[in-house]
Amino acid sequence: MRENELYNQGYSMNWFLHALINNQIDAMVQRYARLYALRVDFFYKKGSDRFKNSSPRSMEDELRLLMTEMMKLPAVVGYFWVMEWTPEHGLHAHAVIWLNGHKTQRTYPFAEKAGSFWHELTKQEGFHYRCEYHENYSANINMPINYNDPASIANIRYILSYLAKEEQKEGLCCYASSEVPLPSGAGRPRSPVHSTDWSS
């Protein structure tokens, strides 16, 4: 990934969603010294009642319940999800779940927990997919995000820009994000570190 390439230029961006995602990244980095980003997609099984009959509202209700459960886990400190639709996958959601890097360095158990909650909430009609790093990818989802490391912040901006793509939205603008608590004030004040301006 080139240092100044802060979104996936293979897609058309929804700049409203792109700004919201980047604003959340900024707030999370200001609040937490180290983070891990868990990328998970949530679907309904093809042919199931939910696949055939769910509406954006009903899926939103289930996603909100899912994230409420995830936020009860000690290391989970935030989320952002966006809904899409395709003929093959029907309604589905792409999500990032933020983990406090001082409480865990492992994303896999939290992906399994999210999948288990989703399976339960959807009465076994849902499934999930954890997005993993592959050698041919331009960015690495496994890289920790450190407040004083602009490269790690640029890396996650590029990865999460996928959530803001125009493709597959089908006129939907259905999303939700957690609120980021204000910094605790504990510890020494940080020196500001500026990553490349994502708005240019």
Side-chain angles (χ1 to χ4, degrees):
M1 183 185 66
R2 295 190 297 274
E3 188 178 344
N4 64 344
E5 192 175 35
L6 299 182
Y7 65 93
N8 191 326
Q9 296 178 16
Y11 298 100
S12 301
M13 287 290 106
N14 178 310
W15 296 110
F16 171 70
L17 288 173
H18 192 242
L20 290 178
I21 291 165
N22 277 295
N23 286 339
Q24 190 186 56
I25 292 170
D26 290 341
M28 295 299 291
V29 169
Q30 284 298 313
R31 177 62 180 83
Y32 300 99
R34 169 171 280 206
L35 293 155
Y36 286 88
L38 168 63
R39 265 281 292 112
V40 194
D41 299 332
F42 298 99
F43 304 89
Y44 295 127
K45 293 176 183 175
K46 202 164 189 175
S48 68
D49 284 343
R50 277 174 170 77
F51 184 92
K52 291 182 283 189
N53 300 317
S54 282
S55 66
R57 179 58 185 271
S58 64
M59 187 178 209
E60 178 182 350
D61 288 345
E62 289 182 329
L63 288 165
R64 287 185 181 277
L65 288 170
L66 168 67
M67 293 305 169
T68 297
E69 292 303 309
M70 290 301 294
M71 289 293 286
K72 293 176 184 176
L73 302 178
V76 176
V77 291
Y79 63 84
F80 190 106
W81 61 257
V82 61
M83 198 181 299
E84 295 185 350
W85 181 89
T86 63
E88 183 183 357
H89 295 301
L91 282 173
H92 58 280
H94 302 296
V96 57
I97 297 170
W98 297 101
L99 305 175
N100 186 336
H102 287 309
K103 293 189 176 180
T104 187
Q105 290 79 49
R106 299 174 63 226
T107 60
Y108 179 77
F110 294 91
E112 290 301 290
K113 202 72 175 170
S116 176
F117 284 147
W118 184 242
H119 194 64
E120 228 176 283
L121 283 166
T122 61
K123 312 295 185 191
Q124 291 73 52
E125 292 186 348
F127 70 98
H128 77 291
Y129 171 77
R130 180 173 71 98
C131 302
E132 301 180 56
Y133 172 68
H134 296 285
E135 286 184 6
N136 59 320
Y137 286 0
S138 299
N140 185 356
I141 188 64
N142 297 325
M143 180 187 289
I145 303 109
N146 295 307
Y147 83 94
N148 58 354
D149 179 7
S152 70
I153 299 168
N155 179 72
I156 199 60
R157 289 197 198 285
Y158 181 91
I159 290 167
L160 297 189
S161 70
Y162 181 80
L163 276 63
K165 71 185 193 301
E166 284 282 13
E167 289 84 349
Q168 302 181 7
K169 296 295 188 292
E170 297 296 322
L172 289 171
C173 190
C174 191
Y175 67 91
S177 66
S178 58
E179 291 188 12
V180 182
L182 294 171
S184 64
R188 292 185 300 177
R190 296 180 185 172
S191 299
V193 175
H194 301 288
S195 62
T196 307
D197 181 7
W198 52 265
S199 62
S200 59

